[in-house]
Amino acid sequence: PTGTPASPAFLAKLVDFATAHGIMLVHDNPYGFVLNETPPTSLLSIPGAKEVALELNSLSKSHNLAGWRVGMLVGRADWLTEILRFKSNMDSGMFLGIQQAAVVALALGDDWFAELNATYRARRALVIALLQALGCEPAPGQTGLFVWAAVPPQYADGYALSDTVLAEARVFLTPGGIFGSNGNGYIRASLCQPESVLREALERVKEVTERHVDRKEASRVTQ
């Protein structure tokens, strides 16, 4: 996920394209409630989408139930029937305790999301400060659990920056290139660590960048 929110107009273009070419459109939408400043948008709310699209969601991101595999799939009855026929050969149901926990999670109100997003906003501020300390440019308006940023010109790509930061600061940032060649010029940082870990990572990165500045200044004096 790039963190770029899809507008209703963009989703409408996808629906039109899928309709024109007979393509099944699948929308994985688990980040809709995370750091989204606008109401979450379902692809199926777009006119014509119900004929060409399926939408997935889960409690992994919105309710911190990652790994419990609690989710939903919504769409045309004939498509869902085929999926259920296949799935029935893979498993025979979910542990009842997890189902009951999911019921409680789904009953949570707006206060839950307000608290959750307050936590992620605080983490995001630290992550953005870390990326900026490296000379990266985080794209504005991102949602979800990750922050993407353009790699500064002194690095060949995200891999080069990631390797440097890992070797010198012992902090790992994901090179965007692992998600495809279009991500080569970017780096991705996660908001899934507590503030204490992110603060330590920020301090480590600052120490490294300050050492680099000191070396450059010493080199100028020597010259």
Side-chain angles (χ1 to χ4, degrees):
T2 65
T4 302
S7 67
F10 178 77
L11 294 176
K13 288 182 179 180
L14 293 180
V15 170
D16 290 343
F17 184 86
T19 301
H21 297 279
I23 297 172
M24 178 190 290
L25 186 60
V26 181
H27 186 215
D28 190 18
N29 192 24
Y31 294 98
F33 291 95
V34 180
L35 294 177
N36 197 340
E37 303 303 330
T38 60
T41 301
S42 169
L43 174 62
L44 298 178
S45 68
I46 304 300
K50 293 178 182 178
E51 296 303 315
V52 297
L54 295 174
E55 184 162 77
L56 299 102
N57 214 313
S58 81
L59 274 65
S60 296
K61 310 301 188 298
S62 60
H63 293 81
N64 292 350
L65 296 182
W68 290 25
R69 321 314 299 169
V70 183
M72 71 173 189
L73 176 63
V74 185
R76 284 171 40 176
D78 56 334
W79 287 351
L80 294 183
T81 297
E82 291 302 315
I83 293 168
L84 288 172
R85 181 180 293 118
F86 175 79
K87 190 176 185 303
S88 68
N89 291 286
M90 297 177 61
D91 59 57
S92 57
M94 183 182 294
F95 173 54
L96 180 60
I98 292 178
Q99 295 183 55
Q100 292 171 335
V103 170
V104 173
L106 288 171
L108 295 172
D110 292 341
D111 289 348
W112 162 258
F113 294 108
E115 181 178 352
L116 182 74
N117 284 311
T119 297
Y120 285 135
R121 285 190 186 94
R123 294 178 183 179
R124 182 171 60 182
L126 291 168
V127 165
I128 289 175
L130 184 153
L131 293 169
Q132 290 175 335
L134 291 169
C136 298
E137 299 179 13
Q142 298 183 58
T143 64
L145 299 180
F146 305 95
V147 177
W148 286 74
V151 172
Q154 62 265 36
Y155 297 96
D157 52 28
Y159 291 101
L161 175 57
S162 178
D163 289 345
T164 299
V165 175
L166 180 60
E168 298 189 16
R170 313 308 294 172
V171 172
F172 177 71
L173 298 170
T174 305
I178 70 170
F179 301 101
S181 59
N182 287 337
N184 282 338
Y186 297 87
I187 204 83
R188 194 187 81 164
S190 170
L191 305 183
C192 296
Q193 292 294 332
E195 288 183 52
S196 58
V197 173
L198 295 175
R199 286 196 186 94
E200 180 179 350
L202 174 58
E203 291 306 313
R204 290 185 185 185
V205 166
K206 283 182 175 179
E207 289 177 5
V208 169
T209 56
E210 287 171 1
R211 286 202 300 269
H212 284 191
V213 170
D214 291 343
R215 289 173 191 162
K216 288 181 180 179
E217 291 179 351
S219 176
R220 291 194 193 99
V221 171
T222 302
Q223 293 174 357

